[in-house]
Amino acid sequence: MRAVEVPEAEADFDVVEKPVPEPDSDEVRVAVEACGVCHSDEMTKEGLYPRIEYPRVPGHEVVGRVDAVGDDVTEWEEGERVGVGWHGGHCFTCEACRRGDFINCEHAKVTGLDFDGGYAEYTVAPHEALAAVPDELDAADAAPLLCAGITTFNALRNSDARPGDLVAVQGVGGLGHLGIQYAHEAGFEVVALSRGTDKKERALELGADHYVDTEATAAAEELRALGGASVVLATAPSAPAIESVVGGLGADGEVIAVGIPGEPVGVHAGALVGVRGSVSGWASGTAKDSQDTLEFSALRDVTPEIETFDLGDAQDAYEKMLASEVRFRAVLEP
Ligand SMILES: [Zn+2]
Ligand SMILES: [Zn+2]
């Protein structure tokens, strides 16, 4: 099969021919139809993950069809449409797993880091890492929902915000353009926060009720004028951006960081104490959360805006993604 490997940390991608992998007894082989390119693929490429072994095939936004199942796998059959996201399996026996908190499994695997991911014609994943993909969703459209989609959808649905509450989405990019759609479809009053006015029209089309140009006005003031935010979903990986919205929280409001800035976030506790506010983080979810995301997306017609690339052009797709030249998610097709 054709696959794209990272040969060693900080090296460019290699397009290689390698044997089609065989699933172990508890694994499933997936014939890949599409794989999204995510900013977190940087962890594979740059060696930012302690346990990583090279060469490694990146890719944790995988959509395809079940191609072969291990002998002990009972819930998947050949031909079924499936997706594999960031959470690539768990041990079922550690303290967290015994509580059903699979995301916090001490031995949790990450797709494309602990095992080869979806930048390939085939991939093999643990059976518990698979989500069913609804027929209504095109493979290339479904792929980014396995990371950018689930992260924003799951963060919002696990927040305390209720229909009618003010929810701000900071950043109108790969995550933000999905977050706006989910927030709108979930019944929130939605504020899109972004620098400049380039993305204003698109944000309003996607379902934002308000648009705040954070270069022209102070985001916190605007949010307070709208009654204060129950949630600010911070998708831009920027500490100053996160700091700038804390003052816009309403009572019990929460800034949920889903983009990770390279530098620490400095927050004055006074801005939190006064409103019982908080700053928190959220990471993706389990395969069942992925499936919920995909089903909700099909039900409410939430789709990502994508640019597709041939698998062999992974390097180009990755560089364009890093340079924010892709609107809004890059997807590889084998
Ligand atoms: Zn990702
Ligand atoms: Zn575990």
Side-chain angles (χ1 to χ4, degrees):
M1 69 168 185
R2 203 162 58 129
V4 176
E5 282 183 350
V6 179
E8 58 183 347
E10 300 177 40
D12 282 348
F13 295 124
D14 255 352
V15 183
V16 298
E17 289 285 333
K18 58 192 291 181
V20 173
E22 289 299 326
D24 280 343
S25 59
D26 60 346
E27 291 178 332
V28 174
R29 183 167 69 211
V30 179
V32 179
E33 292 172 350
C35 184
V37 176
C38 180
H39 203 278
S40 301
D41 294 339
E42 198 175 27
M43 294 180 72
T44 310
K45 187 152 181 322
E46 305 302 328
L48 307 175
Y49 187 70
R51 293 200 301 267
I52 195 161
E53 290 171 16
Y54 293 99
R56 179 62 75 222
V57 177
H60 57 267
E61 294 184 345
V62 193
V63 174
R65 283 185 188 274
V66 173
D67 181 63
V69 293
D71 291 342
D72 297 339
V73 176
T74 56
E75 75 273 47
W76 302 108
E77 283 178 19
E78 248 177 80
E80 285 180 311
R81 300 187 78 207
V82 291
V84 188
W86 175 263
H87 182 73
H90 41 268
C91 76
F92 294 99
T93 57
C94 73
E95 286 289 306
C97 282
R98 290 177 65 203
R99 290 192 183 91
D101 187 8
F102 299 128
I103 280 298
N104 283 315
C105 171
E106 289 167 32
H107 311 286
K109 291 180 208 157
V110 179
T111 311
L113 285 166
D114 287 296
F115 58 92
D116 284 344
Y119 284 30
E121 289 177 314
Y122 295 89
T123 188
V124 160
H127 68 103
E128 75 273 16
L130 267 57
V133 177
D135 290 339
E136 299 91 315
L137 294 179
D138 178 72
D141 284 340
L145 304 180
L146 271 303
C147 183
I150 181 185
T151 299
T152 50
F153 178 74
N154 218 20
L156 286 172
R157 74 169 179 167
N158 284 287
S159 75
D160 290 331
R162 294 186 295 183
D165 283 357
L166 192 73
V167 167
V169 178
Q170 183 178 46
V172 184
L175 276 77
H177 88 291
L178 288 166
I180 291 169
Q181 294 181 72
Y182 290 128
H184 171 75
E185 297 298 345
F188 303 128
E189 183 179 354
V190 184
V191 190
L193 307 171
S194 185
R195 284 182 302 181
T197 53
D198 289 359
K199 291 175 177 168
K200 178 176 179 177
E201 201 180 325
R202 190 71 189 113
L204 296 175
E205 280 168 12
L206 290 167
D209 301 292
H210 315 272
Y211 181 89
V212 174
D213 170 2
T214 56
E215 276 173 350
T217 50
E221 262 174 53
E222 295 290 323
L223 292 175
R224 277 203 305 275
L226 290 165
S230 292
V231 165
V232 180
L233 190 67
T235 72
S238 154
I242 293 173
E243 289 155 10
S244 75
V245 293
V246 172
L249 292 175
D252 300 307
E254 181 183 19
V255 179
I256 308 174
V258 290
I260 305 172
E263 66 280 15
V265 176
V267 175
H268 197 291
L272 299 173
V273 167
V275 292
R276 291 188 304 264
S278 59
V279 178
S280 65
W282 190 272
S284 67
T286 63
K288 190 63 176 80
D289 293 317
S290 287
Q291 193 166 319
D292 291 347
T293 305
L294 293 164
E295 285 170 1
F296 185 82
S297 304
L299 182 72
R300 287 287 179 264
D301 203 17
V302 172
T303 48
E305 197 170 324
I306 58 169
E307 280 181 40
T308 56
F309 297 77
D310 181 77
L311 178 62
D313 296 327
Q315 183 78 31
D316 184 34
Y318 177 81
E319 282 170 13
K320 282 192 172 150
M321 177 276 301
L322 278 187
S324 300
E325 286 169 9
V326 176
R327 190 159 171 163
F328 287 106
R329 293 295 275 192
V331 177
L332 303 174
E333 293 178 316

Short mmCIF file of all heavy atoms in Angstrom, two decimals, residues 32-39 41 58-63 84 118-119 139-140 142-147 306-307 317 321 329-333:
data_model
loop_
_atom_site.label_atom_id
_atom_site.label_comp_id
_atom_site.label_asym_id
_atom_site.label_seq_id
_atom_site.Cartn_x
_atom_site.Cartn_y
_atom_site.Cartn_z
N VAL A 32 -8.81 3.17 4.03
CA VAL A 32 -8.98 4.61 4.24
C VAL A 32 -9.55 5.27 2.99
O VAL A 32 -9.08 5.03 1.87
CB VAL A 32 -7.63 5.27 4.62
CG1 VAL A 32 -7.80 6.77 4.82
CG2 VAL A 32 -7.05 4.61 5.87
N GLU A 33 -10.59 6.09 3.19
CA GLU A 33 -11.15 6.88 2.08
C GLU A 33 -10.78 8.35 2.20
O GLU A 33 -10.76 9.07 1.21
CB GLU A 33 -12.68 6.71 2.06
CG GLU A 33 -13.09 5.28 1.69
CD GLU A 33 -14.57 5.03 1.83
OE1 GLU A 33 -15.29 5.88 2.40
OE2 GLU A 33 -15.02 3.97 1.37
N ALA A 34 -10.52 8.80 3.42
CA ALA A 34 -10.13 10.20 3.63
C ALA A 34 -9.48 10.32 5.00
O ALA A 34 -9.82 9.59 5.92
CB ALA A 34 -11.34 11.12 3.56
N CYS A 35 -8.52 11.24 5.11
CA CYS A 35 -7.90 11.53 6.42
C CYS A 35 -7.60 13.01 6.52
O CYS A 35 -6.92 13.57 5.65
CB CYS A 35 -6.63 10.71 6.63
SG CYS A 35 -5.92 10.97 8.28
N GLY A 36 -8.11 13.63 7.55
CA GLY A 36 -7.88 15.05 7.75
C GLY A 36 -6.45 15.33 8.22
O GLY A 36 -5.79 14.48 8.81
N VAL A 37 -5.99 16.53 7.92
CA VAL A 37 -4.68 17.00 8.37
C VAL A 37 -4.94 17.97 9.52
O VAL A 37 -5.64 18.97 9.35
CB VAL A 37 -3.93 17.72 7.23
CG1 VAL A 37 -2.61 18.29 7.72
CG2 VAL A 37 -3.72 16.77 6.06
N CYS A 38 -4.41 17.63 10.69
CA CYS A 38 -4.70 18.42 11.89
C CYS A 38 -3.42 19.07 12.40
O CYS A 38 -2.32 18.55 12.21
CB CYS A 38 -5.27 17.50 12.96
SG CYS A 38 -5.66 18.34 14.51
N HIS A 39 -3.58 20.21 13.08
CA HIS A 39 -2.42 20.89 13.65
C HIS A 39 -1.65 19.96 14.59
O HIS A 39 -0.43 20.02 14.69
CB HIS A 39 -2.86 22.16 14.37
CG HIS A 39 -1.76 23.18 14.51
ND1 HIS A 39 -0.81 23.10 15.51
CD2 HIS A 39 -1.42 24.24 13.75
CE1 HIS A 39 0.03 24.10 15.37
NE2 HIS A 39 -0.30 24.81 14.31
N ASP A 41 -0.96 16.97 14.19
CA ASP A 41 -0.05 16.06 13.47
C ASP A 41 1.40 16.53 13.63
O ASP A 41 2.34 15.78 13.38
CB ASP A 41 -0.42 15.98 11.99
CG ASP A 41 -1.78 15.32 11.78
OD1 ASP A 41 -2.24 14.60 12.69
OD2 ASP A 41 -2.40 15.55 10.73
N PRO A 58 1.28 9.47 10.37
CA PRO A 58 0.38 10.33 11.14
C PRO A 58 -1.08 10.17 10.70
O PRO A 58 -1.37 9.41 9.78
CB PRO A 58 0.87 11.75 10.82
CG PRO A 58 1.93 11.63 9.78
CD PRO A 58 2.02 10.21 9.34
N GLY A 59 -1.95 10.94 11.33
CA GLY A 59 -3.34 11.03 10.88
C GLY A 59 -4.34 10.45 11.85
O GLY A 59 -4.40 9.24 12.04
N HIS A 60 -5.14 11.35 12.49
CA HIS A 60 -6.15 10.90 13.45
C HIS A 60 -7.55 11.43 13.11
O HIS A 60 -8.37 11.64 13.98
CB HIS A 60 -5.72 11.32 14.86
CG HIS A 60 -5.50 12.79 15.01
ND1 HIS A 60 -4.28 13.39 14.85
CD2 HIS A 60 -6.35 13.79 15.28
CE1 HIS A 60 -4.38 14.68 15.02
NE2 HIS A 60 -5.65 14.96 15.27
N GLU A 61 -7.76 11.70 11.83
CA GLU A 61 -9.11 12.05 11.36
C GLU A 61 -9.42 11.12 10.19
O GLU A 61 -9.50 11.52 9.05
CB GLU A 61 -9.15 13.52 10.90
CG GLU A 61 -8.93 14.53 12.02
CD GLU A 61 -9.08 15.98 11.55
OE1 GLU A 61 -9.07 16.25 10.33
OE2 GLU A 61 -9.21 16.86 12.42
N VAL A 62 -9.58 9.85 10.53
CA VAL A 62 -9.60 8.78 9.52
C VAL A 62 -11.04 8.34 9.23
O VAL A 62 -11.80 8.05 10.17
CB VAL A 62 -8.82 7.55 10.02
CG1 VAL A 62 -8.58 6.59 8.87
CG2 VAL A 62 -7.52 7.94 10.70
N VAL A 63 -11.39 8.27 7.96
CA VAL A 63 -12.70 7.72 7.58
C VAL A 63 -12.49 6.70 6.47
O VAL A 63 -11.71 6.92 5.54
CB VAL A 63 -13.66 8.83 7.10
CG1 VAL A 63 -14.96 8.22 6.56
CG2 VAL A 63 -13.98 9.79 8.24
N VAL A 84 -11.92 6.85 12.77
CA VAL A 84 -11.01 6.75 13.92
C VAL A 84 -10.50 8.15 14.22
O VAL A 84 -10.02 8.84 13.31
CB VAL A 84 -9.81 5.83 13.63
CG1 VAL A 84 -9.01 5.60 14.91
CG2 VAL A 84 -10.24 4.51 13.02
N GLY A 118 -3.89 7.51 9.64
CA GLY A 118 -4.65 7.47 8.41
C GLY A 118 -4.02 8.08 7.17
O GLY A 118 -4.68 8.17 6.14
N TYR A 119 -2.76 8.52 7.25
CA TYR A 119 -2.09 9.02 6.03
C TYR A 119 -1.64 7.79 5.23
O TYR A 119 -0.44 7.60 4.97
CB TYR A 119 -0.85 9.83 6.39
CG TYR A 119 -1.02 11.25 6.90
CD1 TYR A 119 -2.13 11.64 7.63
CD2 TYR A 119 -0.02 12.21 6.66
CE1 TYR A 119 -2.25 12.95 8.11
CE2 TYR A 119 -0.13 13.51 7.15
CZ TYR A 119 -1.24 13.86 7.88
OH TYR A 119 -1.34 15.15 8.35
N ALA A 139 -17.18 10.94 2.89
CA ALA A 139 -15.98 10.57 3.67
C ALA A 139 -15.09 11.79 3.94
O ALA A 139 -14.62 11.99 5.07
CB ALA A 139 -15.20 9.49 2.95
N ALA A 140 -14.85 12.61 2.91
CA ALA A 140 -13.95 13.76 3.09
C ALA A 140 -14.55 14.79 4.04
O ALA A 140 -13.83 15.44 4.80
CB ALA A 140 -13.65 14.39 1.74
N ALA A 142 -16.62 14.00 6.50
CA ALA A 142 -16.68 13.40 7.84
C ALA A 142 -15.32 13.44 8.54
O ALA A 142 -15.25 13.54 9.77
CB ALA A 142 -17.17 11.96 7.74
N ALA A 143 -14.23 13.38 7.76
CA ALA A 143 -12.90 13.24 8.36
C ALA A 143 -12.59 14.31 9.41
O ALA A 143 -12.25 13.97 10.55
CB ALA A 143 -11.83 13.19 7.26
N PRO A 144 -12.71 15.61 9.08
CA PRO A 144 -12.36 16.61 10.10
C PRO A 144 -13.27 16.59 11.33
O PRO A 144 -12.90 17.12 12.38
CB PRO A 144 -12.53 17.95 9.35
CG PRO A 144 -12.43 17.60 7.91
CD PRO A 144 -13.04 16.23 7.79
N LEU A 145 -14.43 15.95 11.20
CA LEU A 145 -15.33 15.88 12.36
C LEU A 145 -14.77 14.95 13.43
O LEU A 145 -15.15 15.04 14.59
CB LEU A 145 -16.72 15.41 11.92
CG LEU A 145 -17.38 16.25 10.82
CD1 LEU A 145 -18.76 15.69 10.48
CD2 LEU A 145 -17.51 17.72 11.26
N LEU A 146 -13.81 14.07 13.05
CA LEU A 146 -13.22 13.12 14.00
C LEU A 146 -12.24 13.78 14.96
O LEU A 146 -11.81 13.16 15.93
CB LEU A 146 -12.51 11.99 13.25
CG LEU A 146 -13.31 10.74 12.84
CD1 LEU A 146 -13.96 10.07 14.03
CD2 LEU A 146 -14.36 11.03 11.80
N CYS A 147 -11.84 15.04 14.67
CA CYS A 147 -11.00 15.76 15.65
C CYS A 147 -11.51 17.18 15.86
O CYS A 147 -11.99 17.52 16.93
CB CYS A 147 -9.53 15.76 15.25
SG CYS A 147 -8.49 16.57 16.50
N ILE A 306 -13.71 22.30 3.41
CA ILE A 306 -12.46 21.54 3.26
C ILE A 306 -11.78 21.83 1.92
O ILE A 306 -12.41 22.29 0.97
CB ILE A 306 -12.70 20.02 3.36
CG1 ILE A 306 -13.70 19.55 2.29
CG2 ILE A 306 -13.16 19.62 4.74
CD1 ILE A 306 -13.78 18.03 2.15
N GLU A 307 -10.48 21.54 1.90
CA GLU A 307 -9.73 21.45 0.65
C GLU A 307 -9.14 20.06 0.61
O GLU A 307 -8.52 19.62 1.59
CB GLU A 307 -8.59 22.48 0.62
CG GLU A 307 -9.03 23.88 0.27
CD GLU A 307 -7.86 24.85 0.23
OE1 GLU A 307 -6.77 24.48 -0.27
OE2 GLU A 307 -8.03 25.98 0.73
N ALA A 317 -0.03 19.75 1.81
CA ALA A 317 -1.24 19.98 2.61
C ALA A 317 -0.88 20.41 4.03
O ALA A 317 -1.46 21.34 4.59
CB ALA A 317 -2.09 18.70 2.64
N MET A 321 -1.59 23.96 5.84
CA MET A 321 -2.36 23.98 7.08
C MET A 321 -1.62 24.81 8.13
O MET A 321 -2.20 25.68 8.78
CB MET A 321 -2.57 22.54 7.56
CG MET A 321 -3.28 22.37 8.89
SD MET A 321 -2.22 22.49 10.34
CE MET A 321 -1.04 21.17 10.05
N ARG A 329 -10.16 23.20 6.56
CA ARG A 329 -9.46 21.95 6.93
C ARG A 329 -8.94 21.27 5.67
O ARG A 329 -9.63 21.20 4.66
CB ARG A 329 -10.40 20.97 7.65
CG ARG A 329 -10.88 21.41 9.02
CD ARG A 329 -9.82 21.55 10.07
NE ARG A 329 -9.45 20.34 10.78
CZ ARG A 329 -8.72 20.35 11.88
NH1 ARG A 329 -8.28 21.49 12.41
NH2 ARG A 329 -8.40 19.22 12.48
N ALA A 330 -7.73 20.75 5.76
CA ALA A 330 -7.15 19.98 4.66
C ALA A 330 -7.49 18.50 4.85
O ALA A 330 -7.45 18.00 5.98
CB ALA A 330 -5.64 20.16 4.63
N VAL A 331 -7.84 17.82 3.76
CA VAL A 331 -8.18 16.40 3.83
C VAL A 331 -7.42 15.65 2.73
O VAL A 331 -7.43 16.06 1.57
CB VAL A 331 -9.70 16.18 3.65
CG1 VAL A 331 -10.03 14.69 3.64
CG2 VAL A 331 -10.48 16.88 4.76
N LEU A 332 -6.75 14.56 3.13
CA LEU A 332 -6.01 13.72 2.18
C LEU A 332 -6.90 12.59 1.68
O LEU A 332 -7.64 11.99 2.45
CB LEU A 332 -4.78 13.11 2.86
CG LEU A 332 -3.77 14.08 3.48
CD1 LEU A 332 -2.69 13.30 4.23
CD2 LEU A 332 -3.16 14.97 2.41
N GLU A 333 -6.79 12.31 0.37
CA GLU A 333 -7.54 11.20 -0.21
C GLU A 333 -6.56 10.25 -0.88
O GLU A 333 -5.78 10.67 -1.73
CB GLU A 333 -8.57 11.71 -1.21
CG GLU A 333 -9.67 12.51 -0.55
CD GLU A 333 -10.69 13.07 -1.51
OE1 GLU A 333 -10.29 13.60 -2.57
OE2 GLU A 333 -11.89 12.99 -1.21
#
